[in-house]
Amino acid sequence: MLIGYLILLGLILFDQLIKLISVLTKVSGTSLIKVLIPNILEFHYLENTGASFGMLEGQQAFFSLITIVALIIFGYFFLDINLKEKKVFSIAIILFIAGTFGNAIDRIFRDGAVVDMLNMPILNNLISLVGLSPFIFNVADIYLNFAVVLFIIDILFLERKRVGKHEKN
């Protein structure tokens, strides 16, 4: 359990460090655009008061409620993490908490906004084909997306194996 807390703390600190670097490198009120890997990865500074794709912009009370509920649920699951026997589940829960907490810190200290800074033009080109808007995201968002994928993998494939293994014993 201690290692889970340390990983969680490290992930939150990394997210906040990247956001701090983003804030410090922006040019007074404008977005600094820096191409890191052409057509693949760019740095853009953006303060987002909405959710993914700018949805629900300015709905801070709603975001606060969802964040509190999510952290309670993820905290409950965190009590069940076991990095030896349930690696994927445990990592998913740690990522859920780190991503949720990382963005919550921003909303608390940035007047309801979350600092976003990563842009993937190639991904934006692909999603525009299905009618979605381009988006800029942050490290906490990456944690949350990986958490969803890992959690689904655990539910669909690994949980059954664990249950079957315990039934045999």
Side-chain angles (χ1 to χ4, degrees), residues 144-155:
L144 291 167
N145 283 288
F146 275 112
V148 168
V149 170
L150 292 174
F151 198 70
I152 290 170
I153 289 169
D154 186 75
I155 289 170

Side-chain angles (χ1 to χ4, degrees), residues 10-19 102-103 138-140 143:
L11 290 170
I12 293 169
L13 289 174
F14 179 71
D15 171 65
Q16 291 301 303
L17 175 65
I18 298 300
K19 289 174 180 174
N103 283 338
N138 61 44
V139 174
Y143 296 163

Side-chain angles (χ1 to χ4, degrees), residues 9 11 15 19 56 67 77 81 92 107-108 115 121 136 163:
L9 179 63
L11 290 170
D15 171 65
K19 289 174 180 174
L56 303 169
T67 299
F77 284 130
I81 69 166
R107 290 196 190 281
I108 292 167
V115 173
I136 298 173
V163 170

